[in-house]
Amino acid sequence: MKDWQTRNGLAADGVAGPVTFMTIGLHELVLLQQDARGNAVKKLQERLGVEADGVFGAGTAVALREHQKRNGLTADGVAGPATLAQMALFKGDHGGHGRSAADFGGRSRRCRRQRPGG
């Protein structure tokens, strides 16, 4: 994970958190809302043009609702899959459509059921 993060210009912490998920395009795994903290929130704030301190507070929620209204999204002040995909905040952000693990340097693995006694 750390190698992949480094190759993609991310902080190499080895954690598949919001920034990693967004870079991969897995918006459905990220939900940013009031009281959230971190780099993903900071990127959201930068895009919204508010103070980018990495803490999702009331000001971020208001700015996000305004952005959502302007862009025909549900104006709930929560940055969920639709909002994050529309904003395309992260490097390599393609909405996650038509992508596989191989597109990100990983390997697709199929699960096989273990047969009883096998």
Side-chain angles (χ1 to χ4, degrees), residues 2-83:
K2 286 183 180 181
D3 290 341
W4 186 90
Q5 289 170 323
T6 299
R7 286 193 312 271
N8 287 277
L10 305 176
D13 60 5
V15 176
V19 174
T20 299
F21 289 143
M22 292 301 299
T23 302
I24 293 171
L26 298 174
H27 308 102
E28 64 275 10
L29 299 179
V30 180
L31 183 69
L32 301 176
Q33 59 190 354
Q34 215 158 340
D35 297 325
R37 298 172 182 269
N39 288 332
V41 173
K42 190 171 183 176
K43 288 178 181 281
L44 173 68
Q45 291 169 323
E46 289 169 353
R47 180 50 100 52
L48 292 171
V50 298
E51 180 184 355
D53 61 3
V55 179
F56 195 131
T60 302
V62 168
L64 181 57
R65 276 192 293 275
E66 291 172 2
H67 173 85
Q68 290 168 323
K69 284 179 193 174
R70 282 192 310 272
N71 289 280
L73 300 166
T74 300
D76 58 6
V78 176
T83 298

